[in-house]
Amino acid sequence: MASAWGPGLPLARLAARARTLETLRGFFASRGVLEVDTPLLSCHASTEPTLANLTVDLPDSRAGRGYLRTSPESAMKRLLAAGSGDIYQLGPVFRGDEHGRRHLREFTLLEWYRVGFDHRQLMDDVLALLRAVGYAAPVTQLAYGELFAEHFGVSPHGLDSAALAALVAAQGMTLAADELADRALLFDCLYATVLEPALATRGAVLLYDYPCELRAYARLGLESPPVAERFELVIDGLELANGYHEITDADEQAACFAAENALRARRGLPEIAPDTRWLDALRAGMPPAAGVALGVERLLMVLAGVAHIDQVAAFADELPG
């Protein structure tokens, strides 16, 4: 029986975690990718509507408040613009609303950027990393549009709002008028109710080329209608990694921040000031690159064959849930 003060997992699993982290560092060292460390605390919060920022009171600061990072993305892109070349980082990130079987408020993120890569080349990098840590099962590469058409009979790209809302209604969901106008939310509803359960039966999948409403910070392709040049790694229905062919144009990135704040307003969330240093770095000249963030605890879940994230985290219950 576990003690009230002790770690909530076997010590052998801690040793397995250490070996995995050592392997990850060796993987990047063998490819000449530089390990970096960036601050956990920032004066800028994330504008992403699906992420809840954790705040820290700063009594000595004129700002009065700081934010624990949800990702090291901004700082790492500033390093890329400064000429760092390929970089990676292993470290904690914080997301306020995330707690449950697959979520921790504080978890370990592996984030890396490869200069000159697009999202397809970075998918190959992710596959090589999986093999390096001992994941030997087949991995399918599947376009989001193919999966969507398989289950709904139409392409998601350029789908009009009425047809998209009808697909959601067919799943038995009743949404308010403002929610029906939120195309990103409609796609998220269809993913959660149909596509994610379907992926749970398909083993490991690299799902790529998303609808433009789900672009986040990915480039849009030149197709008509365009697709978002991003991918996710999903294993048995569990999302492990999220990758992008990165935006390098400051005006385009600023437009993404503005679109997120508009979406926040429609969802009743407060507006968040964009990260000006990120935009300044893009104006200075960030090289073309692709980047991906991978949840380390979720990777450990897959490697250990366990269903709950608490089984791979030593002190997962330190905060009340």
Side-chain angles (χ1 to χ4, degrees):
M1 178 181 297
S3 67
W5 55 264
L9 77 170
L11 294 181
R13 207 162 281 158
L14 287 179
R17 173 191 173 95
R19 288 194 298 272
T20 299
L21 295 182
E22 182 179 7
T23 299
L24 291 173
R25 287 190 163 95
F27 174 85
F28 290 111
S30 70
R31 285 160 173 76
V33 182
L34 179 70
E35 183 173 10
V36 299
D37 291 297
T38 60
L40 302 184
L41 189 62
S42 172
C43 59
H44 290 288
S46 171
T47 59
E48 293 185 53
T50 58
L51 298 183
N53 296 282
L54 286 178
T55 62
V56 177
D57 290 331
L58 301 173
D60 299 334
S61 168
R62 286 175 296 176
R65 172 178 290 181
Y67 302 92
L68 292 172
R69 67 183 186 187
T70 59
S71 159
E73 179 175 9
S74 170
M76 293 184 76
K77 287 183 173 176
R78 289 163 63 188
L79 291 175
L80 290 168
S84 67
D86 294 346
I87 52 176
Y88 81 97
Q89 184 165 183
L90 266 167
V93 295
F94 306 84
R95 298 181 182 181
D97 285 345
E98 300 196 7
H99 182 76
R101 185 169 66 90
R102 297 178 168 186
H103 298 88
L104 295 169
R105 291 189 183 94
E106 178 184 346
F107 62 95
T108 308
L109 196 68
L110 167 63
E111 188 157 333
W112 76 95
Y113 293 86
R114 301 297 299 270
V115 174
F117 277 33
D118 62 17
H119 63 307
R120 298 291 190 90
Q121 292 168 299
L122 194 59
M123 286 164 59
D124 292 338
D125 226 27
V126 170
L127 181 57
L129 181 141
L130 285 176
R131 299 299 183 238
V133 297
Y135 185 83
V139 179
T140 302
Q141 297 190 17
L142 177 66
Y144 186 106
E146 291 179 39
L147 181 67
F148 193 95
E150 179 182 320
H151 291 276
F152 300 112
V154 294
S155 170
H157 306 300
L159 187 64
D160 68 60
S161 295
L164 184 57
L167 291 177
V168 172
Q171 306 309 313
M173 287 178 280
T174 303
L175 301 179
D178 59 330
E179 293 174 321
L180 290 171
D182 187 338
R183 288 176 59 88
L185 176 64
L186 297 182
F187 276 117
D188 286 342
C189 288
L190 293 175
Y191 184 85
T193 57
V194 178
L195 301 184
E196 187 174 42
L199 287 171
T201 68
R202 300 181 77 141
V205 178
L206 280 163
L207 192 67
Y208 64 91
D209 287 354
Y210 278 60
C212 60
E213 293 85 353
L214 303 178
R215 71 177 296 190
Y217 301 149
R219 292 191 188 196
L220 296 181
L222 300 178
E223 304 88 344
S224 182
V227 301
E229 295 185 340
R230 57 170 292 199
F231 67 86
E232 290 187 4
L233 170 65
V234 182
I235 299 182
D236 299 329
L238 177 66
E239 178 201 329
L240 272 74
N242 213 330
Y244 304 91
H245 191 190
E246 301 291 349
I247 294 170
T248 56
D249 180 82
D251 291 337
E252 185 177 2
Q253 184 64 56
C256 286
F257 289 149
E260 286 183 329
N261 269 319
L263 188 55
R264 292 181 68 87
R266 289 199 298 273
R267 296 183 182 181
L269 300 170
E271 181 176 347
I272 290 177
D275 187 335
T276 54
R277 292 189 180 114
W278 181 339
L279 296 175
D280 289 343
L282 296 187
R283 291 189 184 97
M286 178 180 140
V292 59
L294 183 149
V296 171
E297 282 79 12
R298 289 190 177 187
L299 176 62
L300 294 170
M301 286 173 65
V302 169
L303 296 177
V306 299
H308 202 297
I309 201 165
D310 286 5
Q311 296 174 275
V312 295
F315 299 106
D317 58 353
E318 292 295 286
L319 291 175

